[in-house]
Amino acid sequence: MADTVQDNATQQNGTLLGADELVLNMGPQHPSTHGVLRVKLKLDGERVRGTECVIGYLHRGVEKIAENRSYQQFAPYVDRMDYVAAVSNGLGYCEAVEKLLNVEAPPRAKVIRTILTELQRIASHLIWLGTHALDIGALTPLFYCFREREEILKIFEKYCGARLTTHAFRIGGLQYESYDSFEKDVERFCKDFERHIQEYVDLLTGNSIWIGRTRNVGVLNAADCIAIGASGPILRASGVKWDLRKAQPYAAYDQYKFEIPTGTNGDTYDRYMVRMEEMRQSRLICLQAIENIPEGPILGKVGKVLKPPAGEIYHSIEAPKGILGYYIVSDGGTQPYRVRIRPPSFVNLQALDKMTRGHLVADVVAIIGTLDIVLGEVDR
Amino acid sequence: MNPTAQAILHFLLTWWVEIVCGVVIVAVLPLVAGYVVLVERKLMADMQARLGPMRVGPHGLLQPIADAVKLLIKEDIVPRDADGLIFWFAPVISMVAAMTSMGALAFGPTFQVARDINIGILFVVGVSSLGFLGIILGGWASNSHYSIIGAIRSTAQLVSYETAGGLAIVSALLLSGTLKIRAIVDAQYDHHVWFGFLAPVAFFTYLVASIAETNRAPFDLPEAESELVAGYMTEYSGFRWALYFLGEYANMIVVGSVATTLFLGGWLRPFPSVHWLDKPLGVLPALLIGGVGVYSIYRAGKQPVPIQTWFMWAVALACFAVAGIFAAPWVFAPLKFIIPGLNGAFWFLLKVGAYIYVFMWLRFTLPRYRFDQLMHLGWYILIPLAIVNVFAVGVALLLESEFGWNRWLALIVTTAFTLAIALFLVRLHDKRTTAGSSATAATTDSYAG
């Protein structure tokens, strides 16, 4: 390979930033940076010599806002971080505050939370699949993915009136009882989804162009993943079987049987396969959960004014994109003293430079796509 | 009369056919290209479980006109550091090349666009590839990194795929023995078979190469939307952008016409030499067009707004008028002489449409190649394959003429040989790419830490 030989030569001479370097500014307005990410690419021809991420275009100071809101008031704000997986964000926050208050949501609330969160995981992965495929040039999967996501959003809408930033849960349980045909709707979605996921497989999995574009692209091995702190499907695609739903069960996950898919190479294709399998597993969890939703109250014993005892708590959940952690410090007042959020996208994005070096420009968009970042969450 | 006026008059008298044709191309082509875009959007919508343009006119039928008006009145921005003259001129080159190459095409035995020149195919291929000059210059003149990368990619793509496409054309020309467009079609009539069946490998090579030449997915790297924003067109807006766009779609029509002429029998109907099919296939065009009219009436009643109903009626009437022209000779015998011309044009356009449909279908289905993969496919597989195929077709013709082999036997043997070579090339390519990507991975690792 002529260009590889040249790569090695460049490397030996130490002229990483040689005279022929071209700096390409990608974003913040660019079709494939998934929002307002800006990447400065240092290019040698089309080969990437280095990348520099510029983030913060969507910074809203969410953590600071938390210090000036009561615990309930802050709950809708977390929906705006990973806005394609608002339910998961809400679950993490509510559970963290519950832990701080030392209350527990009733079993019925836990099961409904689990169902909605798993639906949200499917919806989030569908967005990832559609946009990732679009980045690599396949136009059609995007529309199929949005078609299925629409069904999930309809369930959300029927449940709580909102589709995107749902604010579906309340601290201590749920505010809304599930509606009459909730189980039936979820079941129908899950039944149809099996067929639809096969459509994506038919379009992409065996396609030689797709394989050529994803296999051995953006390889991240397990040690690198752990060193960077990458989590979620990215970590699992590198072969590490680490999923908080199994490792530190929360909500009602300990009641259900599901597999944790893992990859071997840690390349883009493995991440694709892992996420596809995760959607199937989420579907199975939903099917198990709707079979037996316990009766009972939906809201635990929490007061109208929340005054957690002074102290600090860290709670993390397995959001669709990885480990989402909330660190909350209370000084005994009605407002948090400090909220620190560990967003999966922000941490996963740090792998971009390592993954893109030596690849071509076209691979950069594929790698940004496979990282599945949401800039609302990266910038907060 | 003074000499200047005399010269002009002489010029007009000599070239009036070409001038009229030029005016017609310039006037009609934008409209055709606009409707090709609409058809593409509708097909894409159909494959993607949605409706596509529905607002402007019934089922979005007036969308191309609305788009054209929008593009014409849009602000025309020239970047500050752009090379103004070249920036202005580049899209013109692109479109003029595409339009000029249409001049030598023939849409039917009596529908010669401008003139049946003796180097017909060579002229079309040569002039249409000049369009790349517009892309390269436009990318360079924009003074933008995205544009220049798009332009570089398109240069490389042109060199690789024009070669393969040209060699595929050579295979067909060996069979026809002429470059003249009408003679090529006549040769297919004499052979009783389309060259696409005689030289399937060449047809396939040309199909792939022509997709790459027209910058269509999965080879749309020069303008790869998700990577380079819009590639060489990034800095263009409004009318200049429309010129590029027009050039691209005109090019699609050109390669479709070339492929139809060379491989799909041009304006010959299916089974041109089976005479009992003369009547059924002869009235088919009139029936099909009339059927579209009937369907329009059926849909007219379902339109939500009266103006859309009227428009549908107008479409139906237009269809009936065209169907009437096609049907007239069958009813009124003295008009029989127009049948070959009309039906020829119908079959030709149908084939071009089918060819372009394949382009669109591939675009909606396949992901995009990466640049290195594109080059590998071109240089390691398509070009060797095309070269081997030229030899194979030549050997087949020799076997037929010198050794008296049956033509079909000769062609099957040589095609089998070519396919074996193709299989070998693909194997070799797979091996090379796996080696290549692991090398890339190694490079990545060595940078780490």
Side-chain angles (χ1 to χ4, degrees):
Chain A
M1 299 278 306
D3 31 20
T4 317
V5 172
Q6 205 183 358
D7 284 348
N8 294 335
T10 322
Q11 206 189 344
Q12 279 155 13
N13 297 336
T15 50
L16 198 65
L17 310 178
D20 294 325
E21 177 185 296
L22 176 79
V23 177
L24 187 69
N25 182 41
M26 213 178 197
Q29 281 94 26
H30 186 280
S32 303
T33 52
H34 293 225
V36 287
L37 174 67
R38 181 175 160 214
V39 187
K40 283 198 254 175
L41 297 172
K42 297 188 183 71
L43 300 177
D44 172 16
E46 285 221 27
R47 208 158 275 276
V48 178
R49 287 274 160 265
T51 55
E52 190 185 322
C53 279
V54 183
I55 59 170
Y57 290 93
L58 207 57
H59 178 66
R60 290 150 297 177
V62 170
E63 291 175 4
K64 188 68 187 168
I65 291 172
E67 296 168 19
N68 301 295
R69 297 286 184 278
S70 70
Y71 287 93
Q72 295 103 320
Q73 277 177 330
F74 182 60
Y77 283 91
V78 298
D79 287 357
R80 273 84 180 161
M81 293 193 314
D82 183 358
Y83 41 76
V84 299
V87 174
S88 310
N89 289 343
L91 177 74
Y93 177 71
C94 290
E95 287 198 337
V97 178
E98 282 159 18
K99 232 179 184 180
L100 196 62
L101 284 164
N102 222 351
V103 293
E104 204 169 327
R108 181 175 172 78
K110 279 186 169 180
V111 171
I112 293 176
R113 277 178 173 186
T114 310
I115 296 170
L116 291 174
T117 314
E118 283 311 302
L119 287 176
Q120 182 73 82
R121 185 184 311 279
I122 296 175
S124 170
H125 280 2
L126 283 174
I127 295 237
W128 155 78
L129 177 61
T131 52
H132 184 40
L134 189 67
D135 288 347
I136 296 186
L139 304 169
T140 305
L142 178 76
F143 294 95
Y144 290 177
C145 291
F146 270 71
R147 180 184 62 195
E148 273 72 78
R149 177 174 175 265
E150 186 64 26
E151 296 306 312
I152 297 175
L153 295 191
K154 273 183 193 157
I155 293 173
F156 289 167
E157 191 179 5
K158 274 184 171 172
Y159 170 71
C160 65
R163 289 156 53 87
L164 193 69
T165 47
T166 48
H167 193 203
F169 310 137
R170 295 296 179 274
I171 294 157
L174 306 168
Q175 184 162 345
Y176 307 109
E177 187 51 85
S178 71
Y179 60 93
D180 286 343
S181 58
F182 178 68
E183 290 98 323
K184 218 185 276 170
D185 281 358
V186 174
E187 190 181 0
R188 195 176 55 214
F189 168 78
C190 292
K191 288 265 154 67
D192 290 347
F193 190 58
E194 191 180 14
R195 178 165 52 86
H196 291 313
I197 212 163
Q198 189 57 40
E199 291 177 354
Y200 317 143
V201 170
D202 291 344
L203 269 172
L204 298 173
T205 305
N207 185 315
S208 70
I209 304 179
W210 179 261
I211 293 172
R213 284 300 303 275
T214 53
R215 201 162 266 171
N216 289 322
V217 169
V219 180
L220 202 63
N221 60 34
D224 290 338
C225 274
I226 293 166
I228 291 167
S231 53
I234 295 167
L235 179 67
R236 289 191 283 276
S238 305
V240 182
K241 208 166 186 171
W242 179 253
D243 189 320
L244 288 184
R245 289 178 293 175
K246 287 265 195 215
Q248 304 166 9
Y250 55 94
Y253 284 109
D254 46 358
Q255 303 171 19
Y256 307 120
K257 272 190 217 146
F258 58 97
E259 299 290 318
I260 304 172
T262 52
T264 46
N265 301 328
D267 58 10
T268 303
Y269 190 75
D270 276 6
R271 286 186 281 272
Y272 161 76
M273 294 304 269
V274 164
R275 287 198 179 98
M276 292 294 270
E277 186 56 33
E278 278 186 22
M279 285 198 272
R280 294 193 190 98
Q281 295 298 330
S282 294
R283 175 184 159 270
L284 292 178
I285 294 175
C286 287
L287 280 174
Q288 289 173 49
I290 52 167
E291 262 173 29
N292 182 22
I293 302 180
E295 295 297 323
I298 52 164
L299 197 59
K301 285 203 186 323
V302 286
K304 286 232 162 74
V305 178
L306 297 185
K307 266 192 166 180
E312 54 181 51
I313 199 82
Y314 178 76
H315 181 69
S316 54
I317 64 158
E318 188 71 33
K321 296 174 176 62
I323 293 173
L324 172 68
Y326 288 91
Y327 173 66
I328 305 178
V329 183
S330 163
D331 58 359
T334 54
Q335 295 172 341
Y337 178 75
R338 172 85 170 95
V339 173
R340 159 77 189 148
I341 299 155
R342 185 237 188 250
S345 296
F346 176 72
V347 181
N348 291 348
L349 182 61
Q350 309 314 313
L352 183 69
D353 186 52
K354 197 173 184 59
M355 288 160 90
T356 49
R357 287 213 176 180
H359 283 304
L360 301 174
V361 177
D363 293 327
V364 175
V365 292
I367 290 167
I368 293 175
T370 191
L371 283 174
D372 192 18
I373 49 165
V374 162
L375 268 292
E377 192 178 51
V378 173
D379 295 343
R380 301 192 296 297
Chain B
M1 203 186 265
N2 67 48
T4 323
Q6 214 163 13
I8 291 174
L9 193 69
H10 178 74
F11 178 81
L12 286 179
L13 281 176
T14 325
W15 296 97
W16 70 273
V17 179
E18 282 76 8
I19 291 168
V20 169
C21 286
V23 171
V24 168
I25 292 176
V26 172
V28 173
L29 188 74
L31 198 70
V32 174
Y35 276 91
V36 172
V37 175
L38 179 70
V39 167
E40 171 165 30
R41 290 178 65 183
K42 278 292 189 187
L43 283 174
M44 173 146 64
D46 189 44
M47 290 186 191
Q48 296 176 344
R50 58 197 179 91
L51 291 174
M54 289 295 279
R55 292 297 172 130
V56 192
H59 296 267
L61 278 174
L62 297 177
Q63 185 73 44
I65 294 161
D67 284 344
V69 171
K70 183 207 75 173
L71 287 170
L72 280 174
I73 59 175
K74 214 173 165 183
E75 188 190 352
D76 182 27
I77 301 165
V78 181
R80 196 181 50 212
D81 294 332
D83 189 323
L85 187 68
I86 299 178
F87 189 81
W88 170 84
F89 199 56
V92 178
I93 298 179
S94 218
M95 196 202 56
V96 166
M99 283 189 171
T100 312
S101 59
M102 294 198 96
L105 295 174
F107 291 139
T110 50
F111 282 93
Q112 181 68 43
V113 177
R115 184 171 281 202
D116 194 13
I117 45 179
N118 57 356
I119 52 160
I121 285 293
L122 193 63
F123 177 82
V124 174
V125 172
V127 173
S128 71
S129 36
L130 285 181
F132 267 85
L133 207 58
I135 292 176
I136 296 160
L137 286 176
W140 181 77
S142 299
N143 194 22
S144 151
H145 285 168
Y146 288 117
S147 304
I148 195 74
I149 292 179
I152 293 168
R153 282 182 177 187
S154 93
T155 319
Q157 197 167 316
L158 164 81
V159 172
S160 329
Y161 282 82
E162 199 86 333
T163 318
L167 287 166
I169 290 177
V170 169
S171 302
L173 294 181
L174 281 179
L175 290 166
S176 75
T178 171
L179 285 161
K180 218 171 172 166
I181 285 182
R182 203 169 302 184
I184 292 171
V185 178
D186 289 343
Q188 300 186 57
Y189 184 82
D190 296 340
H191 282 71
H192 305 298
V193 66
W194 300 350
F195 288 159
F197 293 106
L198 285 183
V201 179
F203 180 46
F204 175 76
T205 317
Y206 187 75
L207 177 68
V208 176
S210 61
I211 296 171
E213 273 173 49
T214 46
N215 293 334
R216 302 279 302 176
F219 305 107
D220 57 343
L221 287 108
E223 49 189 294
E225 192 200 341
S226 55
E227 299 155 29
L228 299 180
V229 190
Y232 61 92
M233 297 201 283
T234 307
E235 303 295 338
Y236 281 90
S237 64
F239 191 56
R240 290 168 217 272
W241 181 85
L243 288 183
Y244 268 131
F245 207 64
L246 209 59
E248 186 185 323
Y249 278 82
N251 248 334
M252 268 169 72
I253 298 172
V254 169
V255 293
S257 306
V258 169
T260 305
T261 309
L262 284 174
F263 297 107
L264 300 176
W267 47 81
L268 304 175
R269 62 173 167 75
F271 310 108
S273 41
V274 183
H275 285 291
W276 62 266
L277 278 171
D278 276 353
K279 213 158 205 179
L281 284 176
V283 292
L284 192 68
L287 289 178
L288 277 177
I289 298 169
V292 174
V294 172
Y295 182 71
S296 304
I297 293 176
Y298 166 71
R299 293 295 305 182
K302 303 197 168 187
Q303 297 304 318
V305 189
I307 193 168
Q308 300 204 339
T309 313
W310 302 336
F311 190 88
M312 279 315 235
W313 275 101
V315 171
L317 284 179
C319 285
F320 288 140
V322 176
I325 295 172
F326 274 92
W330 298 96
V331 185
F332 187 57
L335 281 175
K336 270 230 146 69
F337 70 95
I338 66 168
I339 290 179
L342 275 181
N343 283 5
F346 174 83
W347 289 114
F348 189 88
L349 293 177
L350 195 71
K351 287 169 190 173
V352 174
Y355 195 78
I356 292 176
Y357 177 81
V358 172
F359 274 34
M360 294 175 175
W361 185 13
L362 289 174
R363 179 180 170 207
F364 312 144
T365 312
L366 295 177
R368 184 183 302 119
Y369 274 106
R370 201 170 56 205
F371 190 61
D372 55 335
Q373 293 165 347
L374 176 95
M375 286 293 122
H376 285 180
L377 185 70
W379 286 99
Y380 292 148
I381 295 185
L382 274 187
I383 293 179
L385 189 61
I387 293 173
V388 169
N389 193 49
V390 170
F391 279 107
V393 172
V395 167
L397 287 175
L398 264 183
L399 287 176
E400 191 194 345
S401 61
E402 302 295 320
F403 300 94
W405 281 38
N406 180 298
R407 173 189 299 131
W408 284 102
L409 183 68
L411 279 163
I412 287 169
V413 168
T414 48
T415 305
F417 170 72
T418 321
L419 287 177
I421 297 272
L423 208 66
F424 170 71
L425 286 170
V426 171
R427 280 272 170 80
L428 202 69
H429 172 72
D430 283 350
K431 238 184 225 169
R432 203 175 272 151
T433 40
T434 25
S437 30
S438 57
T440 317
T443 323
T444 318
D445 278 343
S446 56
Y447 275 116

